Amino acid sequence: MTDRPSILVPLRVLEGESVPEGVPELLANAHVVLLGYHVVPEQTAPGQAQMQFEDRATERLDEYQAMFEEAGATVERRLVFTHDGQKTIDRTTTEHDCLAALVPNATGPVEDVLVAVRGTVGVDRLARVVAGLFGATDASVTLYHVSEEAETDEDVATLLDGLADRLEDQGMDASRIETRVGRGQAALDAIVDAADAFDVVVMGESDPSLATFVFGMPADQVADRFLGPVLVVQREPSEETE
Amino acid sequence: MTEQPPDVESAGENVAGETPVAEPEAVTDETTVHDDDVELERTIGLVGGLAIGIGTMIGAGIFVFPGLAANNAGLAATLSFAIGGLIALLVALPTSELATAMPRSGGGYYFISRGMGTAYGAIVGLGLWLGLMFASAFYLVGLGHYASAVFAELGVSLPFSPVIGIGLLFGAALTALSIGGTENTAKIQNVVVGILLVVLTAFLSYGVLDAVGVFGGGTVPEQFFSRGYFPVLTTAALVFTSYLGFAQVATVAGEIKQPGRNLPLAMVGSVLVVTVFYVVTIFVATSAFGADRLGQFGETAMVEVAREFLGLPGAVAILGAGLLATFSSANASILSASRAVYALSRDALLPRKASEVNLRYGTPHVALLAAGGPILVLVATGQVELLAEVASFLHLIMYGLMCVALIVLRRRNPEWYSPSYRVPGYPVVPAVGTLASFGLIAFMQPASIGIGIVVMLVSYLWYRYYAGSVTLKGDI
């Protein structure tokens, strides 16, 4: 068995976000970093919210922790009061060295996994997440790449086969791995369309660009349109810039 | 990440049976950590810290005081502002050291209660809260003057003076806005401060060039000490209200990222920036008109100065800037006052209820109302100079005691005290800071000193009655 991949599960714990059905089972083989966070407006000192809400939030997190542990995951947890939820998620991801973050949506038993592969960058982490979470299950994994015009079929095949090989190296049965190539559609739409037939989507986090500032991260957009859970594999932590 | 376990123990309970909230286990660059897995995120960067400091300060010194100060001290008012800036700097340096050792919400109150004990802390904490109210009221009256000047500029003549009415209106609106949970207040503050600095830099550059004769004006006519030497000091005491902002940075110390680096930079930086702006402003203003005429213009003298240099567009630009600046100062002070209430109730010196967070908006409505309500009463008095001086008095007491707290802590050197920034020139700088802070009080009007002493006395009696057994001093 491979190492348990660390998966961040962020929940706005005081605003009714809870662990949806099927998610504990989905992450049964993971090391779950359970992040309960509460965003307070700038008028309020985070400590003020802590004084009032800590007990309630802790109670909920106890409950969720028990759910994950029952399913078989190992759990580590944080409760954070913050002005800036995204900063909290990013920091926790880095500090706990999480391979991926989960956008939690309900799911049934996981039988089909869609893995959206973008390029060679981050393939290693993608492989560790997929093999770690689904290696020991019966789920079938479909590696999906939406190719651009300049790409030849050979390029795509090399990319997808390379990932398939890695997964096999990590103990996955080749018969459970399929590859599939999409063409002629914007990557995002293609992924959302393809996702319909699957229980879970695993995809990479893209680089922040101007478009992502305007429209949000592609992963978020997929998560908005796809009703099941999305695992967003995080970029390799870059060297400290500060 | 630097781990600094504050390890200050608190004990005792107040009349209502509440005990101080446990101290955090560790303070890192990004968080304050409680009980191993509960964290408070730090989200304010250096720019945000500077914006709080400069944004609070730039309103008063430039947009309310020039006329009043010139009236009192003549061209030597520039020296008054320089003295104020020097004292602020002497206090900002020790405050920086304390803040890096204890980057927690509450600022001066926190440092003094942990360094010198609960009684001093209670006097300063309640004093800080009330001092911020006086300061906010002062800014709001200033805002009222600017808004009235807008009416005058538009040619609307009102049968009564709208100054206090507008001040009250804005005071109520600001409180309501804060409770209603305006998003992105910090970002707005950053933008406002940026705009102000650009407008002022352009205006002052032009003014200086004019004053030294580049554009033919060449009027630096006055004798420097036209009112004598003594008024320089009384004016310094009056205008010290313009320098209260750096302490507001310390009230949000618990939310500043990389506090060891950003707190000293934000506090010292904002004092230096505004000192330069103030001194140049007074120089330009007195050069334009001479102290006598400037004094007659009162609180909105800067509008006339701008009109003199740049005509109607100049006047309009400064009117707008004045509104923005006084508004942002008042806003920042109300928010700091509610942080002070939080810090006090966390330590059981005020009822826990006082910092309760509103379920709907997520804002501390009790604390904000507790700040906003009395502010309206104070605004209604309309006493610009008195409000400013009482605010200065209460802050100067705190500043002096902060310097003392630093000396006390350095001498006792408790285990938890490990600031990442150390004040240069110890013990001279904090000692001079103490003397200067307390010394400046001597030059205030008796009425301001009287009100200030009453506030301190009431604070102390409240502490004896409500939380006599609470100890916050820790293991020193």
Side-chain angles (χ1 to χ4, degrees):
Chain A
M1 212 181 111
T2 46
D3 287 341
R4 285 171 177 271
S6 310
I7 309 290
L8 182 80
V9 181
L11 294 171
R12 294 176 80 119
V13 68
L14 290 165
E15 283 161 50
E17 265 189 16
S18 59
V19 178
E21 209 177 321
V23 166
E25 290 73 28
L26 169 69
L27 298 181
N29 298 321
H31 176 64
V32 172
V33 178
L34 181 58
L35 168 66
Y37 67 107
H38 182 60
V39 180
V40 295
E42 283 153 353
Q43 294 84 324
T44 315
Q48 243 162 321
Q50 180 216 356
M51 229 157 59
Q52 202 168 331
F53 300 127
E54 182 180 344
D55 292 345
R56 198 187 309 177
T58 304
E59 227 168 82
R60 298 235 173 109
L61 285 179
D62 284 344
E63 227 171 87
Y64 301 149
Q65 178 168 6
M67 284 165 70
F68 281 111
E69 280 172 349
E70 207 173 305
T74 53
V75 181
E76 191 178 356
R77 67 182 218 195
R78 314 298 296 172
L79 172 61
V80 183
F81 293 89
T82 180
H83 289 305
D84 180 351
Q86 193 57 51
K87 190 197 168 229
T88 301
I89 291 175
D90 292 345
R91 179 179 59 79
T92 314
T93 307
T94 317
E95 281 181 14
H96 293 267
D97 201 15
C98 296
L99 281 175
L102 179 76
V103 181
N105 282 323
T107 176
V110 175
E111 284 163 8
D112 299 302
V113 181
L114 181 71
V115 181
V117 189
R118 221 159 49 100
T120 48
V121 183
V123 158
D124 179 51
R125 293 166 72 85
L126 205 56
R128 280 162 66 195
V129 171
V130 174
L133 288 184
F134 307 109
T137 68
D138 301 327
S140 66
V141 172
T142 303
L143 309 180
Y144 184 51
H145 178 74
V146 184
S147 74
E148 288 160 33
E149 274 177 33
E151 276 174 309
T152 64
D153 289 347
E154 281 158 37
D155 291 341
V156 178
T158 315
L159 175 69
L160 293 181
D161 291 345
L163 179 56
D165 288 346
R166 274 168 193 264
L167 291 175
E168 283 169 46
D169 287 349
Q170 299 191 37
M172 282 189 77
D173 191 352
S175 65
R176 283 162 51 203
I177 305 173
E178 280 174 49
T179 57
R180 193 164 134 189
V181 182
R183 277 196 185 282
Q185 215 180 348
L188 207 63
D189 296 327
I191 293 171
V192 174
D193 287 349
D196 266 349
F198 291 84
D199 300 312
V200 181
V201 173
V202 183
M203 63 187 291
E205 180 190 31
S206 36
D207 303 315
S209 67
L210 185 63
T212 62
F213 276 117
V214 179
F215 302 111
M217 289 287 191
D220 291 336
Q221 296 182 53
V222 172
D224 281 348
R225 288 159 62 186
F226 171 56
L227 296 175
V230 177
L231 279 156
V232 185
V233 176
Q234 305 294 306
R235 275 192 304 274
E236 199 75 45
S238 53
E239 293 296 306
E240 283 293 313
T241 44
E242 276 179 300
Chain B
M1 257 187 314
T2 53
E3 298 256 342
Q4 307 173 337
D7 194 29
V8 186
E9 277 172 29
S10 46
E13 61 176 38
N14 62 19
V15 171
E18 293 160 344
T19 53
V21 170
E23 295 291 331
E25 288 183 350
V27 168
T28 72
D29 274 358
E30 303 294 332
T31 54
T32 308
V33 184
H34 287 262
D35 310 334
D36 200 26
D37 64 355
V38 179
E39 297 171 334
L40 307 178
E41 186 93 44
R42 297 175 177 274
T43 50
I44 303 176
L46 177 58
V47 173
L50 279 169
I52 292 170
I54 297 175
T56 315
M57 291 194 268
I58 206 116
I62 289 180
F63 296 101
V64 186
F65 277 132
L68 305 176
N71 198 31
N72 288 345
L75 186 55
T78 46
L79 191 59
S80 305
F81 272 98
I83 291 171
L86 184 66
I87 295 176
L89 191 63
L90 284 171
V91 179
L93 290 169
T95 308
S96 298
E97 173 171 330
L98 291 167
T100 63
M102 300 171 258
R104 308 284 320 279
S105 274
Y109 155 72
Y110 192 86
F111 312 146
I112 292 168
S113 61
R114 268 52 175 188
M116 298 173 66
T118 319
Y120 287 101
I123 292 171
V124 167
L126 294 163
L128 170 66
W129 171 35
L130 292 158
L132 284 165
M133 286 184 206
F134 276 91
S136 313
F138 158 72
Y139 300 134
L140 284 167
V141 175
L143 178 68
H145 279 287
Y146 270 83
S148 312
V150 171
F151 283 119
E153 204 64 41
L154 294 172
V156 182
S157 63
L158 298 165
F160 56 93
S161 164
V163 171
I164 291 174
I166 292 172
L168 289 172
L169 196 69
F170 273 94
L174 269 179
T175 310
L177 270 179
S178 319
I179 292 175
T182 37
E183 293 288 319
N184 299 323
T185 41
K187 284 191 195 89
I188 294 168
Q189 184 85 346
N190 294 0
V191 172
V192 165
V193 170
I195 293 173
L196 278 174
L197 291 182
V198 170
V199 170
L200 285 172
T201 306
F203 167 68
L204 292 176
S205 309
Y206 187 91
V208 167
L209 292 176
D210 188 276
V212 298
V214 175
F215 303 134
T219 48
V220 192
E222 294 201 37
Q223 197 195 336
F224 195 72
F225 292 104
S226 58
R227 304 286 197 280
Y229 301 108
F230 189 69
V232 173
L233 292 171
T234 56
T235 306
L238 169 67
V239 302
F240 195 72
T241 318
S242 328
Y243 289 102
L244 304 187
F246 73 87
Q248 263 69 297
V249 181
T251 61
V252 295
E255 292 155 57
I256 302 256
K257 288 189 268 190
Q258 292 182 274
R261 164 180 173 268
N262 288 340
L263 276 168
L265 282 178
M267 288 200 265
V268 174
S270 55
V271 168
L272 290 177
V273 167
V274 298
T275 305
V276 169
F277 272 93
Y278 290 166
V279 170
V280 175
T281 300
I282 304 302
F283 173 73
V284 167
T286 41
S287 310
F289 285 117
D292 291 329
R293 276 194 67 202
L294 193 64
Q296 286 160 16
F297 294 133
E299 284 83 358
T300 53
M302 283 310 286
V303 180
E304 303 309 322
V305 175
R307 196 197 310 282
E308 173 78 8
F309 283 129
L310 301 164
L312 186 62
V316 171
I318 289 297
L319 266 179
L323 284 174
L324 272 184
T326 44
F327 187 82
S328 87
S329 295
N331 186 38
S333 305
I334 291 175
L335 294 182
S336 296
S338 94
R339 291 284 199 284
V341 173
Y342 156 58
L344 286 164
S345 77
R346 179 186 62 199
D347 290 344
L349 295 180
L350 283 176
R352 191 67 34 94
K353 179 109 182 124
S355 65
E356 195 175 77
V357 176
N358 187 309
L359 278 178
R360 176 142 170 229
Y361 301 113
T363 50
H365 58 295
V366 181
L368 288 167
L369 282 175
I375 287 171
L376 295 186
V377 176
L378 294 172
V379 169
T381 66
Q383 297 289 324
V384 176
E385 300 195 17
L386 190 68
L387 291 172
E389 281 206 355
V390 175
S392 293
F393 176 93
L394 293 169
H395 277 82
L396 281 167
I397 295 282
M398 176 173 89
Y399 291 172
L401 288 176
M402 280 200 292
C403 294
V404 175
L406 175 87
I407 296 173
V408 168
L409 281 169
R410 282 267 196 119
R411 289 180 69 100
R412 293 192 184 158
N413 198 18
E415 210 173 306
W416 55 265
Y417 187 74
S418 57
S420 54
Y421 166 86
R422 284 185 171 257
V423 65
Y426 174 86
V428 177
V429 168
V432 175
T434 310
L435 292 178
S437 301
F438 291 148
L440 199 55
I441 290 173
F443 297 98
M444 291 185 165
Q445 301 168 34
S448 321
I449 298 178
I451 294 176
I453 288 175
V454 170
V455 168
M456 286 171 63
L457 210 62
V458 171
S459 302
Y460 180 73
L461 292 175
W462 167 262
Y463 154 70
R464 294 296 303 175
Y465 155 72
Y466 190 74
S469 76
V470 173
T471 55
L472 303 166
K473 200 164 165 183
D475 55 346
I476 45 179

